[in-house]
Amino acid sequence: VEINGKRIKSQIIKVLQNRGITTKEEIEKFLNPSLKSLHNPYLFEDMKYAVKIIKDAIQNKKRVLIYGDYDCDGVTSTYLLYFTLKKILPVSYYIPNRFKDGYGLNLEILKKLIDSFDILITVDTGISAVNEISYLKEKGKMVILTDHHEPKDVLPKADAIINPKLKGCSYPFKGLSGVGVAFKLLHALKISGLDIKLAELLDVVAIGTIADIMPLVDENRIIARFGLDIL
């Protein structure tokens, strides 16, 4: 079979078709991943609000706390945002202890940290934290929620929710990891004019994506392909 001038063995085509990759365009994208094929991050419904909050924070030197998770996806998500934003913002992070704090936002931890930040950004967590985020809003904090887990019927009242699985979200790829979603936030910030070298971050994104056993198709395949080059 010939695709874009290249001969591809029919056995390979059959394997791809068995996995739902059927058209010539899909096969070409799968076999030859390109950074140009990354989707527009502004297809996330609340992305414009998240970018506005962060750019306002830069201008007014507001303090940001990144709240992550203790697994590999959560740690790489936290590192990704911390490493990038610390160059332009007063930023700190908190990764919960698996045994002492439990999974997700912990209200008691937030109460202890409440005076240390103006904006909370969650990574790989938060989509079920209705009560915890209500507490933060009562205290006058801004909240950007980035997550990839399935939303419940009732959503937290965050200022921006970035999650491809939100009902009605037009983002075309639903299989991102938590670090993949955090990466898309940085992608949007780059488009908005910030000097962020996205390609140099892909090793971290690849580690979290692969460790969280995400399907290596679409954007995840691009992330893994170029992230492994950096590694």
Side-chain angles (χ1 to χ4, degrees), residues 10-23 27:
S10 59
Q11 295 97 319
I12 294 174
I13 299 298
K14 186 174 181 181
V15 168
L16 294 175
Q17 289 175 338
N18 288 342
R19 285 155 178 76
I21 302 164
T22 56
T23 69
I27 293 169

Side-chain angles (χ1 to χ4, degrees), residues 124-139:
D124 192 33
T125 191
I127 198 65
S128 301
V130 174
N131 294 333
E132 292 79 4
I133 290 178
S134 290
Y135 166 76
L136 293 174
K137 295 308 298 174
E138 289 170 5
K139 294 296 183 180

Side-chain angles (χ1 to χ4, degrees), residues 79-166:
Y79 172 80
L80 187 76
L81 288 195
Y82 177 74
F83 174 80
T84 306
L85 295 182
K86 72 176 183 176
K87 301 171 185 177
I88 49 179
L89 274 171
V91 60
S92 57
Y93 66 88
Y94 187 82
I95 295 175
N97 182 292
R98 180 189 296 265
F99 305 106
K100 295 179 181 178
D101 302 332
Y103 173 76
L105 297 186
N106 182 300
L107 187 57
E108 294 306 312
I109 296 298
L110 292 173
K111 287 178 178 179
K112 290 178 183 178
L113 298 173
I114 197 68
D115 294 327
S116 67
F117 65 92
D118 306 300
I119 300 167
L120 182 86
I121 303 178
T122 75
V123 289
D124 192 33
T125 191
I127 198 65
S128 301
V130 174
N131 294 333
E132 292 79 4
I133 290 178
S134 290
Y135 166 76
L136 293 174
K137 295 308 298 174
E138 289 170 5
K139 294 296 183 180
K141 306 300 181 181
M142 302 288 284
V143 180
I144 298 171
L145 192 165
T146 78
D147 201 352
H148 72 126
H149 295 100
E150 291 287 345
K152 303 276 181 71
D153 291 336
V154 178
L155 295 175
K157 297 188 183 302
D159 297 280
I161 300 178
I162 312 299
N163 185 328
K165 294 176 182 172
L166 280 182

Side-chain angles (χ1 to χ4, degrees), residues 134-212:
S134 290
Y135 166 76
L136 293 174
K137 295 308 298 174
E138 289 170 5
K139 294 296 183 180
K141 306 300 181 181
M142 302 288 284
V143 180
I144 298 171
L145 192 165
T146 78
D147 201 352
H148 72 126
H149 295 100
E150 291 287 345
K152 303 276 181 71
D153 291 336
V154 178
L155 295 175
K157 297 188 183 302
D159 297 280
I161 300 178
I162 312 299
N163 185 328
K165 294 176 182 172
L166 280 182
K167 185 178 180 180
C169 178
S170 60
Y171 197 76
F173 183 52
K174 310 300 181 184
L176 289 169
S177 61
V179 70
V181 177
F183 175 75
K184 298 309 294 189
L185 176 58
L186 295 181
H187 189 182
L189 287 169
K190 179 178 177 62
I191 291 173
S192 78
L194 296 187
D195 182 20
I196 298 174
K197 295 176 173 58
L198 289 179
E200 296 178 7
L201 304 172
L202 286 171
D203 53 347
V204 177
V205 190
I207 291 170
T209 297
I210 294 168
D212 220 42

